[in-house]
Amino acid sequence: MTITAGTGHSPEAEARAEAGTHHATAVPPAGRPGSQPREGQRPGRPRTDALKKRLRRHWATLPARLRLIRAAILLLTAALALLLLPAGPAVSATWDTVTGRDAPRTTSAAGLDLALNDMDAQAANILLSSGDAGADRMDVPYGKAVGFYAARRTVSRELRTLAVAAEGDARAEHTVEALTENFARYQELIGRALENDGRKGGKAAAVDDYRSATALLSAEIWPESQALIAANDDAYEAEYDAARSRLSAELITAVVLALLLLALLAVLQWYLARGFHRILNPGLVAATLCACIALAVGGQAIAASSEHLRGARRDAFDSVVALSRARAVAYDANADESRYLLVKQERTSYVQAFLDKSQQLYGIEGATIDTYDAGLEDTWSAYRTDPTDLRFTGEFRRELDNITFPRERAAAERTVETYAVYQRDDRTIRRLVAEGKEREAVAFCISWDKNKSNAHFGAWMDALDEVTEINRTHFATSVREGRGAVAGLLPAAGGALMAAAALTVLSLRPRLAEFRD
């Protein structure tokens, strides 16, 4: 009886048939007589040919191809997980550096600058209001000046705080050391001025000591504090640039790896459909879905972290720095008015100093002390008509160029409007001096009564504090949300990748088992 074989082929038979075609042509091992190289053939060529044939033989079988694709998928999954999971701690470390060192050091240095300027202003106000050893004293302004001066004596503590924060930064450490030494000299001169002022007839000696102290402040302490602000702000900028560049590179790499992973999963699905006559493998569909989730969630975490870093720095902290500088300059300008009244022989220089600081805050091209008010009114009217028409420069311009948050524009505009009122007060002081009304000028300058200069200065500082606080609040919000983005999303992406790897292995196990003997 004759038996006729059918034409159907199982996966096992196909694999054997594919493998059998290679057993027909055996390659003689190297070192045997049949393996001697022919004339003109390079030594070692048979070994290379044998290796190539073995690789072709392993790739030619379906199970070999499936195992190779599986290995590539697992490697890509591991690489993507190793990229995404450490990104969370790295971003958290960046936020720790920003909030624990860079931002506080910058604002503390600006606060130190402000405290020094206000301390000097209050020392001048004490000398202006003290009379002659207490005789003819202006009691209310004197009491307030003494209280404010005592409150500003916390500068030493702030310097110690900055010294701790500067550890490890040679440039910052040197600046803080110089500041500490010069501040000790400044305190000695002011202490001597106040001591001389307490003696009858000692006003002239007190003013001389005060002039030496404020000269030290202007020539050495103020530039050093400005250098410290710039150094700390530069450190934050460097940290910001490095973190954003790292996150951009991680995002690009993650997208490339994820797309390669999805492509391999698609190829594997195609091989299974072709070799086993099935349209879709449910396990691989689930693995592909997990890979898509990992890409979406991980990419979102990295992109969100980068955006929160940008928002914290550019939208919020840049304004905080500009406004903190504006506040310090404002206190120095206010001190210039008191110095103008106290040190009569240097009035011309203090008029120019006040104008220079006004230009730092709200710069008007070509303005003098006599034309500044008119220029301020004209340029501000143009802005109010068209907010894009900014014909002025300075810290207030920087803030108005960076309006981002709700209520910020209205608060910034109130700051400029209260500043304009204070500027007009300065002209009143100088007019009273020109009219020979020195005591009235001093009373108007240092009084906190309603509609007096210090009261208007306080209203200006309240408006400035309001817009600064808006930006501080949004800085803190960006920090909180930036931490949350990596804390919740990146572990989820890692879990999705682990699930994709597991589903790939489990999906292939039954198919590979069909090829075993």
Side-chain angles (χ1 to χ4, degrees), residues 30-79:
R32 295 184 182 179
S35 65
Q36 295 300 318
R38 294 189 298 274
E39 186 178 353
Q41 184 181 23
R42 292 193 302 270
R45 181 65 179 271
R47 290 176 180 271
T48 305
D49 290 344
L51 179 60
K52 289 180 178 178
K53 289 180 179 179
R54 269 197 298 272
L55 288 174
R56 282 198 298 268
R57 183 171 68 249
H58 287 305
W59 174 248
T61 64
L62 181 58
R65 288 194 292 269
L66 294 179
R67 290 188 183 97
L68 184 60
I69 296 173
R70 180 184 64 183
I73 288 173
L74 293 178
L75 283 173
L76 281 173
T77 304

Side-chain angles (χ1 to χ4, degrees), residues 69 72-73 76-77 80 254-270 284-296 497 500:
I69 296 173
I73 288 173
L76 281 173
T77 304
L80 196 52
V255 169
V256 171
L257 291 176
L259 290 177
L260 288 173
L261 175 60
L262 291 171
L264 282 177
L265 286 168
V267 170
L268 183 56
Q269 187 76 260
W270 178 79
L284 284 182
V285 172
T288 304
L289 180 60
C290 288
C292 289
I293 292 172
L295 172 59
L497 288 170

Side-chain angles (χ1 to χ4, degrees), residues 232-286:
N232 290 329
D233 196 38
D234 289 346
Y236 184 179
E237 186 71 17
E239 182 74 22
Y240 165 80
D241 287 340
R244 288 264 292 174
S245 297
R246 185 184 69 246
L247 287 171
S248 296
E250 288 174 351
L251 181 58
I252 293 170
T253 306
V255 169
V256 171
L257 291 176
L259 290 177
L260 288 173
L261 175 60
L262 291 171
L264 282 177
L265 286 168
V267 170
L268 183 56
Q269 187 76 260
W270 178 79
Y271 265 115
L272 291 178
R274 179 173 174 269
F276 297 91
H277 308 293
R278 297 177 183 180
I279 298 174
L280 289 175
N281 182 297
L284 284 182
V285 172

Side-chain angles (χ1 to χ4, degrees), residues 323 326-327 330 361-362 376 380 384 395-396 399-400 407-422 456-457 459-468:
L323 294 167
R327 202 168 192 270
L361 296 169
Y362 189 106
L376 194 159
W380 190 245
R384 296 296 282 178
E395 302 295 351
F396 293 151
E399 166 56 17
L400 287 167
R407 303 186 298 108
E408 185 180 5
R409 182 174 295 279
E413 289 171 351
R414 278 194 298 275
T415 300
V416 176
E417 287 162 1
T418 52
Y419 166 76
V421 174
Y422 173 75
H456 290 154
F457 180 78
W460 173 28
M461 291 301 98
D462 288 343
L464 188 59
D465 289 345
E466 181 185 358
V467 68
T468 305

